[in-house]
Amino acid sequence: MMVLKGQLHQHRIQSEASARANPMSSPEPEVDLEDTDRLEGRAALVNNVNAALALAGAVRSTLGPRGSDKMLVGEGGEVVVTNDGVTVLETAKVEHPTANLLISTSSAQDRLARDGTTTTVLLTAELLRNALELTRIGVHPSVIMNGYRIALDEALSQLAEISREPADKSEIRAVIATALAGKIDTKLASVLTDLALDAAAALAQEEGGGDLERLRVKRLQVASGKASDSEVVHGLVIRKQRLDFTTPSASDGGVIALVDGGLENRELMLDAEIEVRSLGVLAGFHQRTREKLQTQVDHLASLGVELLCVRDGIADEAHVMLTAAGITVYRRFEREDLERLACLTGATMVRDVGRMSASDVGEYSSRSEEKIENSWHLRIDGNRGAAMTALLRGTTPTMREEVSRAFDDALGVAHRLSSESSFLPGGGATQIHLARHLRAYAPSQKGREQLAIEGFADALEIIPRALAENAGLDPIDEILELSSAQSKIGPWIGLDVMSGDKTDMASAGITDPLFVARQALTGATEAAITVLRIDDVLWAQVEPGTPDWNSEESEDEI
Ligand code: ADP
Ligand code: MG
C-alpha cells in the first residue's frame, strides 16, 4: 500500500514515473507539473509526455487483481482506500493540462464502458512515450498521428476477429467476475454478480442505452446487515415517511400522481404586492390562497389520486385538505426518484397540478413503510417499466463504499453486456496478440508510418507488463513467453496472475468485455493524438518541415 498524502505530490509521482521509465533510455529531466508556461515544439512534447507518465505512474501499481491499494488522504484528513484507477485520479489535484486530459479520458472510459479506466491511462501515457522516442529520431508528430490512426483501425478489426460470444451464462458471469477481481472477495463478488445480472435482465427490455443502469437503479447504502445480504428490490425504496400519519402507511395499489414542483402558493405570495390596510384584506388574501389549494386538491381527487409524490413542499393549509380527500402524501423527492417512479407507474411528472389530466396519473401495485436500520423507508412497486433499488449493506462506511463501487462495476458491465456480449481474453493476452499482429502488419504500410505502428504495438505491452510487475513476476520473461506461446497456440493464451500460469484465458475464466477494450484503445489513441496535435502546431511554428534538433538546445539537455 502506498500513501499519497494531501495530494498526489508532483515530485513523488515524477520520481516514480522516471524510476519506471525504460531503463535503456536516458532518464528525462523532471519537468514541473505546474509549469504551464508556453513551451515550444519538442520541449512542449517532452513536458506533456512527462506529465502523462507521471500520472500513469500513480496508477500503474493498481492494475489487475494483484494491484496494490492506494490510500488517499484528503486535505481534511478523510481517507479513501482503493485500487480503482479512476478513483485515484479523480481524487488527485493535478494542474497540468495534459494530466487533466488523461483524467478526463479515464472518466470518459468510466462513463462509457464502466471498466478499463486504468488501462486507458496506461495506454495513453505509453503511446505518448513512444511518440516522443520517435520524434527523437526525426519522425514528425503528424506522421506519428497518422500511423497511430492506422494502427488503431487495424487493432479494432483484430479485436472483433478474436472476440467470442458467450456460450452460456457461466461465461457471462466470468466476464463480470474478472471486472471485480481484486476489488472484493470472490464470495461477495459472486453475490454482487447475481444482483447485477438480475437488474440487467430487468433493464434489457427497456430503451435508453448505457445510461439506463445509472438512471433506473437507485443505490441505497444500508448500515445494517452483512455485505452479502445486499439485495436488488424491483421497486423504489427511499428514506421517507408520509406527511400525515393518519393516512394509511400501506396499500395494495391505486392511482399515483407525480408533481415536479410543490403544492404551495408560492407564486401568489411572491407576485402579489398587497397593501394591508385592514384585517379584511389579509383575510381575503388567505381566503383566496386556501381556495386555490382546495381547487388543486379537488382536482387531484377527481382524477382518483390516492398517492401523491411531490418534489418540493406542501403548504400547511393543504395538509388537512389532502387527508380529507383520502390522499397520502410524500414530499421532497429527488428528481431522479420521481423519474424512477414515473417509469414504474406510467405516471407523468407534472409541474402544475391544475393542468394535470387523466393521462398523467399512473398506477402503483403496492406501497408500504418499513424500518430499515433506524429510519423509516417508503417502498413503492409498480409494473409498468423497470426501476429498481439496490440495497447495499455493510457494517462500516468503508465497507459500504466498497460494496457500492463493486456493484457499480458489476452492473455497469452486466448491463452493457446485455446489448453487446462479445468478450476477449484478459490477462494481457489481447494486448500481446495485438502487438504481435501490428508488428507483422506494419511493413504493409507506406513510409515512416510503419515506425508509428510499431510504436503503437510496443505501447500495448504496458498492460501485460504492469500485470506481471504487480504480481511480482518478471515482465520481460512473461511477455516473451506469452508471445511464443501465442505463436504456437493462439491469441487466447494469457497470464493468470493469481496462479502465475500462462494458459487459455477462456478456460481460466479471465475475460474482458469487447466494448471495454474497444473504448480503451479508442479513447487512449484519441487522447494521445490530442496531445501530439498541440505540439504539432507549436512545432510547425518553430520549424516547418523536418525538424533539425541540432540547431536548438543540444539533445542531451532536453
Ligand atoms: P482497469 O481499471 O483498467 O479495469 P483493473 O485493475 O480492473 O484495471 O485491471 C484490469 C485488468 O486485469 C484486465 O486487463 C484484466 O484482464 C486483468 N485481470 C483480471 N483478472 C486477472 C487475472 N486473474 N490474471 C491476470 N489478469 C487479470
Ligand atoms: Mg477493471
Side-chain angles (χ1 to χ4, degrees), residues 268-269 271-277 281-282 285-286 288:
L268 201 57
M269 311 268 245
D271 294 350
E273 271 187 37
I274 41 168
E275 264 183 69
V276 186
R277 290 208 198 85
V281 176
L282 196 57
F285 173 73
H286 283 313
R288 281 202 304 285

Side-chain angles (χ1 to χ4, degrees), residues 48-272:
N48 287 335
V49 172
N50 275 340
L53 288 172
L55 199 71
V59 293
R60 181 171 175 154
S61 63
T62 69
L63 187 79
R66 310 236 0 221
S68 49
D69 287 351
K70 290 210 184 279
M71 179 188 276
L72 306 169
V73 185
E75 272 154 85
E78 65 280 9
V79 172
V80 181
V81 177
T82 180
N83 68 1
D84 183 34
V86 76
T87 309
V88 175
L89 294 181
E90 286 178 347
T91 319
K93 293 213 176 72
V94 183
E95 302 280 336
H96 196 286
T98 304
N100 278 321
L101 174 78
L102 252 75
I103 294 174
S104 48
T105 305
S106 146
S107 304
Q109 176 78 23
D110 184 46
R111 203 176 56 248
L112 297 169
R114 248 314 182 215
D115 199 14
T117 52
T118 312
T119 302
T120 307
V121 171
L122 296 183
L123 277 179
T124 311
E126 221 55 21
L127 286 170
L128 285 171
R129 187 211 296 272
N130 295 350
L132 182 64
E133 289 297 320
L134 287 171
T135 63
R136 281 223 166 94
I137 57 166
V139 185
H140 194 273
S142 60
V143 175
I144 303 174
M145 288 189 258
N146 266 343
Y148 278 5
R149 287 201 189 93
I150 296 169
L152 174 66
D153 284 348
E154 185 60 22
L156 291 179
S157 67
Q158 270 305 300
L159 284 186
E161 193 128 308
I162 65 165
S163 70
R164 291 186 191 164
E165 286 297 317
D168 53 32
K169 198 162 175 182
S170 74
E171 292 201 323
I172 295 183
R173 291 182 58 97
V175 178
I176 301 171
T178 307
L180 297 183
K183 309 233 183 304
I184 42 169
D185 68 70
T186 38
K187 197 167 147 259
L188 187 52
S190 153
V191 172
L192 294 181
T193 300
D194 285 333
L195 297 183
L197 284 171
D198 170 32
L203 291 176
Q205 288 88 33
E206 311 268 323
E207 308 219 323
D211 281 345
L212 219 54
E213 47 108 353
R214 268 171 244 235
L215 299 177
R216 297 285 187 83
V217 185
K218 181 184 176 68
R219 275 75 161 172
L220 190 68
Q221 293 188 11
V222 179
S224 67
K226 297 195 298 289
S228 56
D229 293 335
S230 297
E231 59 186 312
V232 167
V233 168
H234 291 255
L236 186 76
V237 181
I238 183 165
R239 195 168 288 130
K240 217 168 263 310
Q241 259 187 302
R242 60 200 187 284
L243 192 60
D244 182 342
F245 295 135
T246 63
T247 53
S249 66
S251 157
D252 289 336
V255 175
I256 179 174
L258 306 176
V259 180
D260 187 15
L263 214 68
E264 293 160 310
N265 271 312
R266 213 179 259 151
E267 316 96 85
L268 201 57
M269 311 268 245
L270 294 176
D271 294 350

Side-chain angles (χ1 to χ4, degrees), residues 105 108-109 112-117 119-120 123 127 151-163 165 416-417 419-425 430-431 434 456 460 512-527:
T105 305
Q109 176 78 23
L112 297 169
R114 248 314 182 215
D115 199 14
T117 52
T119 302
T120 307
L123 277 179
L127 286 170
L152 174 66
D153 284 348
E154 185 60 22
L156 291 179
S157 67
Q158 270 305 300
L159 284 186
E161 193 128 308
I162 65 165
S163 70
E165 286 297 317
R416 286 164 180 83
L417 279 175
S419 51
E420 184 182 4
S421 57
S422 313
F423 63 90
L424 290 164
T430 295
Q431 292 82 9
L434 290 180
F456 192 102
L460 293 166
D512 293 319
L514 172 61
F515 63 79
V516 171
R518 188 177 55 222
Q519 183 56 42
L521 277 183
T522 313
T525 312
E526 274 169 9

Side-chain angles (χ1 to χ4, degrees), residues 542-554:
V542 179
E543 230 170 320
T546 310
D548 170 14
W549 300 118
N550 298 332
S551 67
E552 277 187 50
E553 309 106 288
S554 85

